[in-house]
Amino acid sequence: MKKLLLGNAAVARGAYEAGVGVVSSYPGTPSTEITEEMAKYEGMHVEWAPNEKVAAEVAIGASIRGARAMSCMKHVGLNVMADPIFTVSYIGATGGLVFCVADDPGMHSSQNEQDSRHYAKAAKIPMLEPSDSAECKEFTKAAFRLSEEYDTPVFIRLSTRVSHSQSLVELADPEEVTLKPYEKNIPKHVMMPAMAKGRHVVVEARTEKLRALAETDAFNKVENNGSRVGVITSGVAYQYAKEALGDTVNYLKLGMVYPLPEKLILDFAKDLDTLWCIEELDPIFEEHIRALGVTVKGKEHFTLLGEYSQNMIREVVAGEKTPFVTSEKELPGRPPVMCAGCPHRGTFYVLKKLGVTVSGDIGCYTLGAVAPLGAVDTTICMGASVSAAHGMSRAGGEETNRKLVSVIGDSTFIHSGITGLIDIVYNKGNNTVIILDNSITGMTGHQDNPTTGKTIRGEATKQVNLVDLCHAVGVDRVRVEDPFDLKGFEKAVKEELAADEPSVIIAQRPCALLKTVKYSGHCVVDADACRGCKMCMKLGCPAIMFRDGKAVIDHTQCNGCGLCTSVCAFGAIRKEEK
Amino acid sequence: MQKNIMIVGVGGQGTLLASRILGNLLTSRGYDVKVSEVHGMSQRGGSVVTYVKYGDKIYSPIIDKGEADIILAFERLEALRALPYLKKGGTLIVNDRATLPMPVITGAATYPEGIIDELAKHADLRALDALAIAEEVGNAKAVNVVLIGVLAASTDIPKEEWVETIRATVPPKFLAINLAAFERGYTL
């Protein structure tokens, strides 16, 4: 049976058909749906881990104990899990061990545009790259087999367009996979220098065996269309190239992007007049091809930035421009905004009003940097809001510290904010950290986490108590506040900034998109009472507009959260029940 | 044969249901189909774009400038933003409604006037107030299925197949309203 599946869902299907036993991941666009889809299957353990490093280690442990195991992450999540990855390359895999990483060329939902293929080479781990959903499923199954056959972890590399496009997939029944017996094997599983030296030899030999495999047509396919022009490509770039150039050129489609098949590349290139390398992000194939002494055209004609497309390839390679119409009107952009009813709006309104420096983090609340709130000063990576604020305080001294807060979501705090908080306490800092506790992992589309009290399968579990946790690491000043109580919240921030010890404010209000959140009615502006002062506009609510000198509320967007009623000094906004 | 349909709107408008209905319908007709969506940050009130492509064999999951046979726009400004993607002589179905983006709300930019006239210069245009129709039917959220109805009427795919797909795709609780919304769009 053929089914239209998201690339991510097809990876999950592949892992299911391969009999995966344990899957542990941390959410991150564009990888999140792999693990969400995985949890729709029965018969294996699936979990959200607190962060990617933990997730990878869970998968590694499961593999050592003999189960097929997988961990999925976005590209920046791979940085977090890099430590165990480089070493498990030496340990290898008992049960098939697959790490599925999704890159985000074009940065649809990311803070950088890194190319994960570098990790394959650096950690000496083979990497497969599917180009559509059917390959997502097949390559995932193959990755488990390859992992066991070659005693190696295997990467699957996806990109946003492969992860988030649906195409047809032929479904099959799951394989019967049994747990392998546990064997104590100190030289292979205990990576201390004496053992690791021995294992490094094995890793280098393994890479050469894998390169020999890459020379065959197991993953790398040549399409000879009798042309004197050839294209070496992989992943979604292959699909763009096929759409742009059809059968007018020859293709070497790389399904295994590390290690690269050197003989195959030389053989493919030898009868060509022109060889193109078409790869998004970094010139990894291109540099390798050039190092083989082959002349190749690539990045100097394309770009290191963002995504490729069929038009771009058609223009560069075939010199054909696709005509299109343009409007001369100037179009305002439409950047993402915090939703109507978002609990973070109250927090940022207060922080902006107080004029404090805000050390920000990764999540929906990064949108607190967008006009008109413009409250966030820095965003680096998961957890950095807390530790970077400590650094700012240590550099700038007391004057900086009295006007500086960190903001971090509940899930992000558990991910890697808690370690920064321990650093502050241990090293005698006195920063103020605001945990934006909206009861869910928001930006990636509502995943449960250790603070929500539910597992990925929706089962009740122990819930991390953030107040107790902060107390336990040595923060004595911990208070829970409602960010929609603007006056109370402002008072809390002022008091904690004035305190001579570290403090945590837990800004607690659930995400407005949660089904359990029931705001009712909507807000309306009394045009006679409105003085046009624009105070309500400072909230940056997408439902509030300004027309003919008065505020107007769009009832199709307003969800009746009522925050705006408390900022109007003239009582011009009131809530109307349905 | 290859057809490219682009669905554009504002995050939260229900464009994903529209692409799911299309994807399911086209798959059941035996075409090769690719549907490409955007998830994550841009969904939070930003511009959202979905590509639906079908035919004998589909390679690229995205639609590039000058390639869309049909654009289904849930909002006026987003229709104009997507205009360069329309093929010469292509069809543009637009919900004639404005959702103001934040730069317009804050006064940093102005919402363009005369969008519909501009679109009509370049496209085979069908403009309608899908929100008014959806509200008449009983649920403002049914805008997406009203627009699907208009789209359906412009294709040669039999109406029964659309209805069957909607039945199979939307939750039973909302089926009656969605079928009514589809009917209004189809017969417009």
Side-chain angles (χ1 to χ4, degrees):
Chain A
M1 184 183 94
K2 274 197 174 179
K3 210 175 161 191
L4 195 61
L5 283 188
L6 205 61
N8 282 346
V11 170
R13 178 74 199 186
Y16 165 71
E17 290 182 10
V20 73
V22 174
V23 179
S24 183
S25 308
Y26 185 82
T29 313
S31 72
T32 311
E33 299 82 4
I34 305 170
T35 308
E36 284 184 322
E37 290 293 324
M38 212 67 247
K40 293 179 183 168
Y41 296 104
E42 298 293 334
M44 77 286 293
H45 175 77
V46 185
E47 63 172 37
W48 288 129
N51 65 36
E52 293 86 351
K53 179 177 182 291
V54 172
E57 291 155 352
V58 169
I60 291 166
S63 164
I64 288 174
R65 180 53 196 88
R68 287 189 164 182
M70 180 167 78
S71 183
C72 311
M73 80 280 342
K74 69 182 295 173
H75 57 314
V76 287
L78 184 51
N79 304 335
V80 178
M81 70 197 295
D83 193 5
I85 291 285
F86 276 72
T87 301
V88 77
S89 175
Y90 284 32
I91 289 174
T94 303
L97 179 59
V98 174
F99 298 110
C100 189
V101 56
D103 285 2
D104 190 16
M107 291 178 280
H108 295 274
S109 198
S110 301
Q111 66 269 41
N112 76 30
E113 209 169 7
Q114 72 190 45
D115 189 326
S116 293
R117 291 177 297 167
H118 291 291
Y119 273 96
K121 188 179 180 191
K124 303 168 193 287
I125 293 175
M127 179 177 265
L128 307 180
E129 182 174 20
S131 71
D132 62 14
S133 298
E135 285 186 351
C136 280
K137 197 199 86 167
E138 289 314 316
F139 283 20
T140 303
K141 290 173 81 170
F144 283 104
R145 285 197 297 273
L146 202 64
S147 171
E148 289 171 5
E149 199 179 326
Y150 288 80
D151 193 4
T152 177
V154 177
F155 278 126
I156 305 258
R157 185 210 187 206
L158 306 172
S159 63
T160 299
R161 296 300 182 186
V162 173
S163 282
H164 286 166
S165 66
Q166 304 172 43
S167 56
L168 295 171
V169 179
E170 188 76 50
L171 304 187
D173 293 329
E175 294 167 27
E176 286 286 334
V177 177
T178 50
L179 191 69
K180 294 188 175 164
Y182 179 69
E183 278 177 45
K184 185 161 176 160
N185 188 344
I186 290 174
K188 187 167 185 285
H189 292 158
V190 182
M191 283 305 98
M192 53 204 282
M195 327 293 184
K197 279 178 191 169
R199 291 302 299 172
H200 190 183
V201 176
V202 175
V203 168
E204 297 304 335
R206 180 182 74 201
T207 301
E208 286 320 302
K209 279 186 209 150
L210 285 160
R211 196 183 301 285
L213 174 74
E215 303 288 359
T216 69
D217 64 355
F219 298 100
N220 301 325
K221 310 272 182 212
V222 172
E223 292 174 34
N224 188 342
N225 294 311
S227 174
R228 305 286 294 176
V229 178
V231 168
I232 297 183
T233 183
S234 73
V236 76
Y238 164 77
Q239 304 288 359
Y240 298 151
K242 280 291 278 191
E243 180 124 347
L245 308 170
D247 294 338
T248 63
V249 300
N250 299 349
Y251 296 90
L252 170 54
K253 177 186 175 295
L254 298 171
M256 185 184 275
V257 298
Y258 183 81
L260 287 173
E262 296 176 350
K263 287 195 203 82
L264 189 62
I265 290 169
L266 289 169
D267 194 48
F268 178 73
K270 74 177 187 313
D271 295 326
L272 298 173
D273 295 331
T274 312
L275 176 62
W276 287 93
C277 187
I278 301 181
E279 58 187 324
E280 289 180 325
L281 301 180
D282 293 341
I284 292 175
F285 302 156
E286 185 182 330
E287 286 174 357
H288 198 110
I289 293 165
R290 217 162 261 153
L292 293 173
V294 176
T295 305
V296 58
K297 291 182 168 186
K299 287 293 169 187
E300 74 275 26
H301 300 279
F302 286 99
T303 174
L304 292 161
L305 313 176
E307 299 185 282
Y308 283 14
S309 73
Q310 53 266 30
N311 277 0
M312 183 195 282
I313 293 168
R314 207 175 280 130
E315 192 172 336
V316 170
V317 176
E320 293 166 12
K321 278 197 172 189
T322 308
F324 60 87
V325 296
T326 45
S327 161
E328 277 164 22
K329 287 186 188 295
E330 200 163 316
L331 303 188
R334 192 184 296 276
V337 289
M338 282 190 272
C339 307
C342 178
H344 305 325
R345 182 166 285 110
T347 302
F348 287 117
Y349 178 81
V350 168
L351 297 178
K352 167 97 173 190
K353 186 179 170 197
L354 294 176
V356 294
T357 302
V358 177
S359 178
D361 223 298
I362 305 285
C364 289
Y365 46 90
T366 314
L367 295 171
V370 178
L373 287 164
V376 173
D377 287 75
T378 60
T379 297
I380 308 160
C381 65
M382 294 286 286
S385 61
V386 183
S387 26
H390 178 57
M392 285 187 199
S393 293
R394 284 306 179 197
E398 196 53 21
E399 200 186 326
T400 299
N401 194 49
R402 294 289 174 197
K403 298 204 81 173
L404 170 67
V405 298
S406 306
V407 293
I408 183 165
D410 45 345
S411 183
T412 311
F413 181 70
I414 296 293
H415 179 283
S416 47
I418 179 69
T419 39
L421 188 62
I422 292 170
D423 186 53
I424 289 169
V425 174
Y426 171 56
N427 287 303
K428 301 183 173 184
N430 71 343
N431 296 79
T432 297
V433 174
I434 302 175
I435 301 176
L436 305 166
D437 179 8
N438 64 347
S439 311
I440 202 77
T441 311
M443 177 59 84
T444 42
H446 286 181
Q447 289 74 36
D448 279 292
N449 68 58
T451 71
T452 67
K454 279 192 192 143
T455 68
I456 190 172
R457 293 196 192 267
E459 294 154 2
T461 184
K462 285 266 191 189
Q463 186 173 9
V464 171
N465 183 319
L466 288 171
V467 175
D468 290 350
L469 177 62
C470 295
H471 280 314
V473 303
V475 180
D476 294 328
R477 296 183 69 95
V478 182
R479 57 204 280 178
V480 178
E481 301 287 341
D482 178 0
F484 272 19
D485 170 13
L486 296 174
K487 286 203 178 91
F489 198 79
E490 184 177 333
K491 183 168 168 279
V493 174
K494 281 182 177 164
E495 284 173 5
E496 297 315 319
L497 282 174
D500 291 322
E501 57 183 298
S503 57
V504 171
I505 301 170
I506 299 171
Q508 206 166 61
R509 182 169 272 261
C511 172
L513 301 182
L514 282 172
K515 287 206 173 76
T516 49
V517 174
K518 299 270 181 229
Y519 293 119
S520 63
H522 51 259
C523 298
V524 288
V525 179
D526 177 348
D528 293 334
C530 176
R531 308 272 185 95
C533 72
K534 294 194 175 177
M535 269 308 279
C536 55
M537 303 293 294
K538 291 186 178 174
L539 289 170
C541 176
I544 309 178
M545 291 166 282
F546 204 70
R547 202 177 290 150
D548 305 327
K550 307 272 182 186
V552 185
I553 293 175
D554 176 355
H555 72 278
T556 63
Q557 295 216 52
C558 175
N559 66 355
C561 82
L563 182 64
C564 53
T565 62
S566 58
V567 299
C568 182
F570 306 102
I573 308 179
R574 64 171 198 285
K575 223 173 118 174
E576 226 169 47
E577 297 300 330
K578 270 182 188 163
Chain B
M1 191 282 279
Q2 178 174 330
K3 286 272 183 201
N4 299 337
I5 302 172
M6 194 163 155
I7 304 170
V8 299
V10 178
Q13 278 190 318
T15 54
L16 289 184
L17 176 68
S19 64
R20 202 170 332 136
I21 290 171
L22 274 170
N24 290 347
L25 171 67
L26 297 166
T27 305
S28 72
R29 301 200 100 224
Y31 291 113
D32 190 22
V33 179
K34 283 194 176 168
V35 179
S36 190
E37 307 160 346
V38 175
H39 303 217
M41 184 175 262
S42 43
Q43 273 181 294
R44 303 277 174 264
S47 300
V48 290
V49 177
T50 304
Y51 309 108
V52 180
K53 302 174 70 165
Y54 65 102
D56 305 322
K57 173 70 190 163
I58 304 299
Y59 290 104
S60 168
I62 63 164
I63 296 171
D64 216 332
K65 286 180 178 165
E67 291 190 333
D69 296 284
I70 301 173
I71 294 176
L72 192 62
F74 282 51
E75 199 267 355
R76 242 180 4 231
L77 172 61
E78 295 314 308
L80 189 55
R81 202 188 305 284
L83 184 63
Y85 289 82
L86 194 67
K87 210 178 257 182
K88 196 165 187 275
T91 302
L92 204 161
I93 298 163
V94 57
N95 178 26
D96 189 4
R97 280 274 174 171
T99 301
L100 302 189
M102 198 47 75
V104 172
I105 290 178
T106 60
T110 48
Y111 194 94
E113 300 283 330
I115 290 180
I116 296 297
D117 292 343
E118 178 74 10
L119 294 173
K121 275 192 240 165
H122 304 286
D124 170 16
L125 186 72
R126 306 277 328 256
L128 66 147
D129 187 346
L131 179 65
I133 296 170
E135 283 179 336
E136 279 171 37
V137 170
N139 191 337
K141 293 210 167 85
V143 162
N144 48 13
V145 184
V146 173
L147 290 169
I148 284 284
V150 181
L151 170 71
S154 76
T155 67
D156 50 12
I157 300 172
K159 187 180 169 189
E160 308 78 64
E161 290 187 35
W162 289 92
V163 171
E164 211 39 59
T165 308
I166 291 169
R167 275 184 198 285
T169 311
V170 306
K173 194 162 74 158
F174 302 112
L175 183 61
I177 277 183
N178 277 306
L179 287 177
F182 176 81
E183 187 63 30
R184 288 287 304 270
Y186 194 87
T187 51
L188 206 68

